[in-house]
């Protein structure tokens, strides 16, 4: 995880600070709006999973927590708000081990979220959609 991915991030990338986006006091400026679009996309098929183009994965709502959406290929796992926002800033969301927490290409949760995050971005309108552009501007300060 690149702890410099957002100028508002407070932490070193280690738990629990790797989950900072969930409690960021400035998230309402832009990040919450973009994440709401991801959650809305996950629920856009009336409860049925949303196929992610170019992958075998589907996207669905998390039944208990809106800081997560679910991805599924053969198994189901969570895409966290901070993994998605880290990808928006850095273009990376790779899997890692605990000793790789400082690797800027590794996602905050250490789970592999690529190519699924790219497919979600495409469904939202691409990397230049207004919400993503605003989040990047806020992240850069």
């Amino acid at each position: 995880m690149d702890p410099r991915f957002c100028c508002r991030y407070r932490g070193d990338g280690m738990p629990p600070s790797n989950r900072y986006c969930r409690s960021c006091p400035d998230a309402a400026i832009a990040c919450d709006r973009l994440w709401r679009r991801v959650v809305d996309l996950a629920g856009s098929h009336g409860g049925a999973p949303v196929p992610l183009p170019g992958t075998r994965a589907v996207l669905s709502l998390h039944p208990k927590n809106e800081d997560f959406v679910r991805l599924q290929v053969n198994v189901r796992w969570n895409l966290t708000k901070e993994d998605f926002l880290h990808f928006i800033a850095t273009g990376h969301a790779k899997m890692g081990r605990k000793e790789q927490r400082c690797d800027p290409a590794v996602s905050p949760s250490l789970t592999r979220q690529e190519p699924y995050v790219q497919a979600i971005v495409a469904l939202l309108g691409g990397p230049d959609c207004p919400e993503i552009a605003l989040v990047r501007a806020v992240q850069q300060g």
Side-chain angles (χ1 to χ4, degrees):
M1 168 182 181
D2 182 354
R4 298 164 300 163
F5 81 99
C6 179
C7 67
R8 289 163 169 76
Y9 174 74
R10 303 291 173 256
D12 59 3
M14 302 295 283
S17 72
N18 66 328
R19 299 181 288 270
Y20 180 78
C21 294
R22 300 178 206 179
S23 60
C24 176
D26 298 320
I29 296 169
C31 298
D32 285 349
R33 199 168 328 146
L34 176 60
W35 184 248
R36 169 55 36 202
R37 287 207 54 211
V38 173
V39 171
D40 289 347
L41 174 65
S44 66
H45 281 162
V50 177
L52 295 178
T55 75
R56 295 182 311 120
V58 293
L59 175 71
S60 59
L61 291 170
H62 190 282
K64 296 181 181 176
N65 190 335
E66 288 199 346
D67 288 328
F68 307 95
V69 291
R70 287 193 165 162
L71 296 167
Q72 183 173 345
V73 177
N74 293 326
V75 297
R76 189 172 22 206
W77 73 97
N78 294 328
L79 169 62
T80 65
K81 180 179 182 180
E82 54 275 3
D83 283 357
F84 187 74
L85 294 172
H86 183 270
F87 171 76
I88 294 301
T90 66
H92 300 291
K94 298 189 184 312
M95 183 177 355
R97 293 189 167 78
K98 63 182 178 180
E99 60 272 4
Q100 294 175 297
R101 280 206 183 272
C102 294
D103 183 336
V106 171
S107 72
S109 68
L110 304 178
T111 57
R112 183 179 141 227
Q113 305 294 0
E114 295 184 57
Y116 315 110
V117 286
Q118 289 96 329
I120 292 168
V121 166
L123 288 173
L124 294 176
D128 297 323
C129 81
E131 293 87 353
I132 290 175
L134 182 58
V135 165
R136 285 189 176 136
V138 167
Q139 289 171 330
Q140 294 169 2

